[in-house]
Amino acid sequence: MKKLLFSMLVLGLSITSCDDDDDYQTIESIDTIKIDSVKIVNDTMDVFSIQSIKTYSTYPSHCEGFYGYDYVHNDNLTRTVTAYKYITNGPCTQAMYTSANQINFSPRKTGTYTFKFWNGGNSWITKTIVVE
């Protein structure tokens, strides 16, 4: 997973605008962004079904935005999720905004799944989903 994240970082850093209008900014860096809240519609679901789990993060300006997740299977039933943001160069609106993103969860076995979403520092938001 770390190799994939590194590859995404290198690809993201190599993307530049070919347009003279400068509508697109170069990604300068990638960093973690805390997940402020998580919305799980159904805390019980069937095996092999799909559920979208939404996460919400607050960005300090429009020079930053959602880049991706680090979604780690710690064991059979535990998942840790860390969100990443991109940071661009150039002029941007300097207003805070909240963005929603999602993970599609499709369990392959029954059990009680524990999700831990990184909330900054050593803090995590813990959610559970029972799969029948």
Side-chain angles (χ1 to χ4, degrees):
M1 184 53 106
K2 297 294 181 187
K3 287 183 181 179
L4 174 63
L5 184 60
F6 178 75
S7 297
M8 290 171 41
L9 173 64
V10 170
L11 176 63
L13 290 175
S14 66
I15 297 173
T16 59
S17 175
C18 296
D19 190 331
D20 288 334
D21 292 339
D22 229 7
D23 290 339
Y24 299 97
Q25 303 299 322
T26 301
I27 293 176
E28 292 291 317
S29 63
I30 306 297
D31 199 3
T32 54
I33 181 83
K34 73 178 192 151
I35 296 171
D36 298 321
S37 63
V38 178
K39 182 178 180 184
I40 296 176
V41 176
N42 299 309
D43 59 1
T44 302
M45 61 187 288
D46 294 328
V47 69
F48 299 113
S49 61
I50 299 172
Q51 178 173 194
S52 294
I53 300 171
K54 288 192 177 183
T55 67
Y56 299 86
S57 296
T58 302
Y59 300 87
S61 80
H62 288 270
C63 288
E64 301 178 14
F66 180 73
Y67 186 76
Y69 291 111
D70 191 6
Y71 183 88
V72 179
H73 295 237
N74 296 48
D75 59 37
N76 288 333
L77 300 174
T78 305
R79 310 287 188 263
T80 57
V81 180
T82 305
Y84 287 85
K85 65 179 178 178
Y86 65 81
I87 303 166
T88 63
N89 64 357
C92 301
T93 305
Q94 296 299 312
M96 290 180 55
Y97 73 100
T98 300
S99 176
N101 296 287
Q102 72 181 30
I103 297 169
N104 291 327
F105 176 55
S106 180
R108 301 292 179 229
K109 63 184 256 184
T110 59
T112 301
Y113 288 78
T114 301
F115 290 84
K116 296 180 179 183
F117 298 89
W118 186 70
N119 185 244
N122 293 324
S123 182
W124 298 84
I125 297 170
T126 303
K127 300 285 187 177
T128 58
I129 298 176
V130 176
V131 178
E132 302 173 333

